[in-house]
Amino acid sequence: MRIQSIFKVLRFSLLDFFSEKSNFILYFTVIFLYQLLYIVFLRVIFLKVPAIYGLKFSEVLVIFGIFQVVSGLFHLAFAYLIWFQEKYIWSRNLDVILTLPSNPILYITLKEIPGQIMEIITVITGIVIMATGFVTGGGISILGLVKIIIATLLGFLILSGFAYFLVSISFLLYGRRSVFEAFYEVLELGQYPITIYPKSLRVIFTFLIPIGFLATYPYLSLYKTQMLIFMFIASLFFLISGYVFFHYFLKYYQSGG
């Protein structure tokens, strides 16, 4: 019954959010103007440098848009991971959830989504930016569109799995800063092509911290099918490892009961 009740709350939150057109337009305008600052910054750079590492402005715009979609989806579903350690571990709120006949990850995620509904605007803004990049760059084929949708969703899954892997460590770092918070501070590096970073950082952003999978690799999957396969394998690895690590380290949780 608890899970069903949460689904009802989520449904009402969605209906309420989209019913208030004035708020929707306001949120969209604010977020779009915020993203516009980054776009202007990129445009100014390209006025000085016509191409950066072989990428045109339209291509960088697509990568920037993909990042907004991936990060928007992540914040919509898993923004609570940012304060998970403080809200659920330190305050022992996890005690009650662990007594429920449902998966704690599923329960907390569904419970927290209604509070992040406005992130839908970030996703929509990202789609608009991405579409603008494709149109100014010459368009995209149906097959390419399918590839970019799949790759973007895989990027979201990779980020989600990695986030759970980091949050799992919070069970061992009771009373200290969450490892995920440190990662969150460098997350926005993924909104730019990782080709602009030194080779050592590109290796780190691929095999240690999956920042490259958030936007750059989804875009490259348009031209390299093997990149899409690579992303699929990476999504399985991060999702499974994140899930397994979360439940493994959960036994170190210091219950208040």
Side-chain angles (χ1 to χ4, degrees), residues 222-243:
L222 279 172
Y223 310 103
K224 301 178 181 179
T225 303
Q226 59 268 34
M227 181 60 71
L228 197 60
I229 298 174
F230 180 45
M231 288 192 65
F232 176 73
I233 295 173
S235 67
L236 290 179
F237 171 77
F238 283 110
L239 277 176
I240 294 174
S241 61
Y243 183 86

Side-chain angles (χ1 to χ4, degrees), residues 2-27:
R2 285 296 189 93
I3 292 293
Q4 293 175 351
S5 299
I6 291 176
F7 271 116
K8 289 181 180 179
V9 172
L10 178 58
R11 178 174 174 272
F12 285 125
S13 296
L14 283 169
L15 291 175
D16 182 63
F17 179 73
F18 285 106
S19 66
E20 299 183 15
K21 295 182 180 180
S22 58
N23 285 342
F24 183 89
I25 295 173
L26 177 62
Y27 286 144

Side-chain angles (χ1 to χ4, degrees), residues 32-48:
F32 183 77
L33 289 176
Y34 177 77
Q35 305 299 347
L36 188 61
L37 292 176
Y38 286 95
I39 296 174
V40 171
F41 167 72
L42 291 173
R43 187 55 183 166
V44 170
I45 291 178
F46 272 89
L47 288 175
K48 301 294 182 180

Side-chain angles (χ1 to χ4, degrees), residues 21-228:
K21 295 182 180 180
S22 58
N23 285 342
F24 183 89
I25 295 173
L26 177 62
Y27 286 144
F28 182 86
T29 303
V30 171
I31 293 175
F32 183 77
L33 289 176
Y34 177 77
Q35 305 299 347
L36 188 61
L37 292 176
Y38 286 95
I39 296 174
V40 171
F41 167 72
L42 291 173
R43 187 55 183 166
V44 170
I45 291 178
F46 272 89
L47 288 175
K48 301 294 182 180
V49 185
I52 297 179
Y53 289 90
L55 295 173
K56 296 180 293 185
F57 176 69
S58 59
E59 294 177 298
V60 174
L61 201 60
V62 171
I63 291 174
F64 183 79
I66 294 174
F67 177 84
Q68 302 309 317
V69 174
V70 172
S71 61
L73 289 173
F74 176 78
H75 283 92
L76 175 65
F78 302 114
Y80 68 88
L81 293 180
I82 301 171
W83 57 82
F84 179 83
Q85 182 166 293
E86 179 179 354
K87 183 175 180 179
Y88 288 98
I89 298 181
W90 294 357
S91 61
R92 305 298 206 288
N93 285 331
L94 199 56
D95 284 10
V96 177
I97 295 174
L98 292 177
T99 63
L100 301 176
S102 59
N103 185 287
I105 291 179
L106 175 62
Y107 181 86
I108 298 174
T109 299
L110 292 176
K111 177 176 176 290
E112 294 282 355
I113 284 179
Q116 305 300 324
I117 290 295
M118 66 177 294
E119 289 298 337
I120 292 176
I121 300 296
T122 303
V123 176
I124 295 175
T125 305
I127 293 174
V128 171
I129 295 172
M130 192 193 314
T132 302
F134 279 126
V135 171
T136 57
I140 182 175
S141 65
I142 298 298
L143 178 60
L145 181 60
V146 172
K147 282 185 175 181
I148 206 69
I149 291 174
I150 294 175
T152 300
L153 292 176
L154 289 176
F156 162 68
L157 295 177
I158 290 170
L159 175 59
S160 304
F162 184 72
Y164 264 105
F165 170 77
L166 294 181
V167 168
S168 301
I169 304 176
S170 298
F171 293 114
L172 299 178
L173 301 176
Y174 184 80
R176 305 176 192 173
R177 189 183 183 192
S178 170
V179 176
F180 179 75
E181 287 186 50
F183 164 71
Y184 193 75
E185 292 179 358
V186 300
L187 184 64
E188 291 194 355
L189 292 177
Q191 65 188 331
Y192 307 115
I194 67 167
T195 51
I196 68 175
Y197 303 118
K199 184 176 181 180
S200 57
L201 279 181
R202 294 201 300 270
V203 172
I204 293 174
F205 289 165
T206 299
F207 299 103
L208 294 180
I209 306 174
I211 288 179
F213 291 101
L214 305 187
T216 302
Y217 293 155
Y219 175 74
L220 292 179
S221 67
L222 279 172
Y223 310 103
K224 301 178 181 179
T225 303
Q226 59 268 34
M227 181 60 71
L228 197 60

